Amino acid sequence: MVKAANSRGDAPGTPPPARILVVGGGYVGMYTALGLQRKLRSGEAEITVVTPEPYMTYQPFLPEAAAGSISPRHVVVPLRRVLDRCRIVIGEARRIDHAKRTATVTTLATADEGTGDIEIEYDELVLAPGSVSRTLPIPGLADYGIGFKTVEEAIGLRNHVIEQMDIASSTRDPEIRAAALTFVFVGGGYAGVEALGELEDMARYAARYYHNVKPEDMKWVLVEASDRILPEVGPEMGTYTVRELRRRNIDVRLETRLDSCENRVAVLSDGSRFPTRTIVWTAGVKPHPVLAATDLPKNDHGRLACTAFLTVEGVEHAWAAGDAAAVPDITAAESGATCAPNAQHAVRQAKQLADNLLAALRDEALTEYAHKYVGSVASLGLHKGVAHIYGRKLKGYPAWFMHRAYHLSRVPTFNRKMRVLAEWTLSGLFKREIVSLGSLEHPRAEFELAAGGHRPHLPPTPTPDPPQDSQG
């Protein structure tokens, strides 16, 4: 293990700049570092951001990226451009010893160097690694499940859906065709409902260009373990969403679980069986594993125990916000409530965290984080949506328009706002793109074939068991 370079050579009598380490480059990490670099005086502090990706993903736009309404490049924000006064380290924080003020990091160069992980020293820690997909030990899920949390997964899913339509169009086997045209989404939260709504809309449009695939040939299934979907928009809008999805012939299964997807057969808790080549898993998130590798206090759910000042409870010089932090909601009526782990809170907490960290460096008073939840918006496909904002309920086109307007105002940087707006404008003037670029997953395939190798093939698809009950 080697120690990272430390530039603390200051003039005699001048206090050395505080070393601020930000772990995570998502909402909280990027906005905290951005707020600090804007307000710090020259020589007051050095900011290091450790992140596994050189960009921040604006996740509310992932469904539209999957549907082809937005280019994947415009869903992400390059950190090096935005955080030009910060040191960006592309790597994974493996362990944090706050007692010693050190973080152990694996970088992209770790394997090539052969010297092991690097150790970064700090004075102030901002822990914002976000969350990861929460999976369950369901047979076959690790083999066939597709996530929907990153831009790579969103584009991969789009390519996959179009590829399944190509398979269905070219096969003469009715069982392969039925499995290719069956799409199962597990999880009725934002990610699952919006991804399903956008992709079903895209696939229905694409079907007009296939001579033997019609929208009614495709089967879309939404599986949700609770008794309603989209709880954030309220029960009335949740009920409307179920009704709207079913009107589009989407099979919504409430109070139902996925029991197995071995051999590409989705088996549900109500006894239904669906041979399918597409299992999209969006059933919740869990705290990032690095939290367990710290000496910081955590609550029963594995999130960092925090105060309303966004400091880690009972620990000095440690800060946290977003999905990784259990921040008290001082605006809630009931005591003990914490802020929901969503983007709306994460962005606002990050700005308050930056201000409080700056105040702490200058021995000024800290301010508690207080934000009343204003509501939620969700897209169900082109010109379709639901919203519950400031007590007002909207559905259909007005909700869809509000969804776009709200997220356009929230996506970081003027550059990204204009690019997204331009793409939306052009998509209203021209037809949708229905191209699958699945070959991007194997970019060297053609060269390897030309060089005398063999084109890579996926492992053979297991033969599914014959369907016993497709209606439950």
Side-chain angles (χ1 to χ4, degrees):
M1 180 181 295
V2 298
K3 289 190 176 182
N6 190 347
S7 57
R8 307 201 79 191
D10 303 284
T14 303
R19 299 167 299 179
I20 302 173
L21 175 63
V22 180
V23 177
Y27 291 108
V28 175
M30 190 197 79
Y31 277 108
T32 299
L34 184 61
L36 288 170
Q37 78 170 13
R38 283 174 175 170
K39 298 178 181 179
L40 283 167
R41 304 186 187 108
S42 178
E44 191 173 12
E46 302 170 344
I47 307 170
T48 299
V49 179
V50 174
T51 173
E53 304 292 348
Y55 52 78
M56 186 275 269
T57 302
Y58 190 72
Q59 292 184 338
F61 279 159
L62 288 184
E64 292 206 49
S69 300
I70 301 177
S71 168
R73 300 189 311 277
H74 303 156
V75 176
V76 298
V77 180
L79 294 178
R80 295 189 188 277
R81 176 184 295 174
V82 175
L83 305 178
D84 55 335
R85 292 170 54 194
C86 301
R87 175 188 173 217
I88 308 295
V89 177
I90 305 303
E92 287 272 7
R94 299 296 184 186
R95 188 169 59 256
I96 295 175
D97 188 341
H98 190 65
K100 296 180 179 179
R101 304 289 194 273
T102 60
T104 303
V105 177
T106 300
T107 71
L108 292 178
T110 297
D112 291 334
E113 290 174 340
T115 53
D117 299 336
I118 66 171
E119 198 172 80
I120 299 178
E121 299 176 343
Y122 62 84
D123 300 309
E124 301 283 346
L125 172 69
V126 177
L127 196 49
S131 57
V132 297
S133 295
R134 176 176 60 87
T135 59
L136 299 176
I138 296 174
L141 182 61
D143 298 319
Y144 303 114
I146 303 172
F148 197 77
K149 193 168 172 56
T150 68
V151 66
E152 293 86 357
E153 288 175 328
I155 304 311
L157 181 57
R158 168 186 169 81
N159 291 334
H160 174 82
V161 168
I162 296 177
E163 185 179 81
Q164 297 313 303
M165 296 178 70
D166 291 337
I167 291 172
S169 176
S170 58
T171 185
R172 291 175 290 181
D173 188 321
E175 290 187 2
I176 293 178
R177 176 184 170 89
L181 294 180
T182 300
F183 307 95
V184 179
F185 287 68
V186 184
Y190 276 120
V193 172
E194 290 193 326
L196 171 58
E198 292 283 356
L199 284 165
E200 189 274 340
D201 210 27
M202 181 271 293
R204 189 175 353 101
Y205 175 87
R208 68 179 65 182
Y209 297 103
Y210 290 79
H211 70 282
N212 59 349
V213 175
K214 299 180 175 60
E216 53 268 28
D217 296 335
M218 293 182 277
K219 186 173 186 62
W220 299 81
V221 184
L222 177 63
V223 180
E224 168 55 38
S226 68
D227 60 353
R228 62 175 182 168
I229 64 175
L230 292 181
E232 297 88 352
V233 298
E236 182 180 338
M237 290 295 96
T239 301
Y240 165 80
T241 302
V242 172
R243 190 165 63 246
E244 167 67 16
L245 294 178
R246 286 174 173 165
R247 188 184 65 79
R248 290 159 60 179
N249 292 322
I250 295 173
D251 187 354
V252 181
R253 304 281 180 116
L254 301 179
E255 299 183 276
T256 307
R257 300 179 309 279
L258 176 68
D259 284 345
S260 170
C261 54
E262 285 185 303
N263 298 321
R264 294 189 185 273
V265 177
V267 181
L268 307 185
S269 60
D270 62 4
S272 303
R273 300 170 63 88
F274 299 103
T276 176
R277 300 167 65 94
T278 308
I279 301 283
V280 183
W281 182 266
T282 62
V285 296
K286 64 181 180 181
H288 195 283
V290 73
L291 300 187
T294 72
D295 53 354
L296 300 172
K298 293 167 279 290
N299 68 2
D300 295 338
H301 300 288
R303 299 168 72 192
L304 293 173
C306 294
T307 69
F309 297 107
L310 303 173
T311 60
V312 178
E313 203 169 74
V315 179
E316 294 183 341
H317 308 294
W319 311 75
D323 291 359
V327 178
D329 187 353
I330 62 176
T331 66
E334 66 275 13
S335 61
T338 58
C339 297
N342 56 40
Q344 189 176 141
H345 278 299
V347 172
R348 288 167 172 79
Q349 287 173 359
K351 294 177 180 177
Q352 186 64 64
L353 194 159
D355 289 342
N356 279 352
L357 179 49
L358 199 64
L361 293 176
R362 298 171 181 174
D363 294 323
E364 299 171 356
L366 308 186
T367 304
E368 289 186 320
Y369 172 75
H371 169 67
K372 189 173 182 180
Y373 193 60
V374 299
S376 301
V377 291
S379 170
L380 305 178
L382 190 63
H383 300 159
K384 297 175 282 288
V386 291
H388 189 183
I389 302 290
Y390 292 113
R392 298 189 62 184
K393 303 179 181 67
L394 299 173
K395 56 189 178 183
Y397 184 89
W400 172 83
F401 182 82
M402 180 168 286
H403 172 271
R404 282 200 162 184
Y406 174 79
H407 286 300
L408 183 64
S409 70
R410 290 293 181 265
V411 67
T413 78
F414 180 77
N415 179 307
R416 284 295 176 272
K417 294 181 197 296
M418 290 300 100
R419 288 178 183 272
V420 169
L421 183 59
E423 287 195 303
W424 281 343
T425 302
L426 291 174
S427 66
L429 299 175
F430 301 100
K431 296 180 180 180
R432 281 179 183 253
E433 291 290 349
I434 60 167
V435 176
S436 167
L437 297 176
S439 59
L440 289 175
E441 298 172 16
H442 305 285
R444 296 188 64 247
E446 286 297 328
F447 183 79
E448 289 175 353
L449 185 65
H454 299 282
R455 188 185 299 274
H457 292 284
L458 295 176
T461 302
T463 303
D465 297 330
Q468 298 178 3
D469 179 10
S470 61
Q471 300 299 323

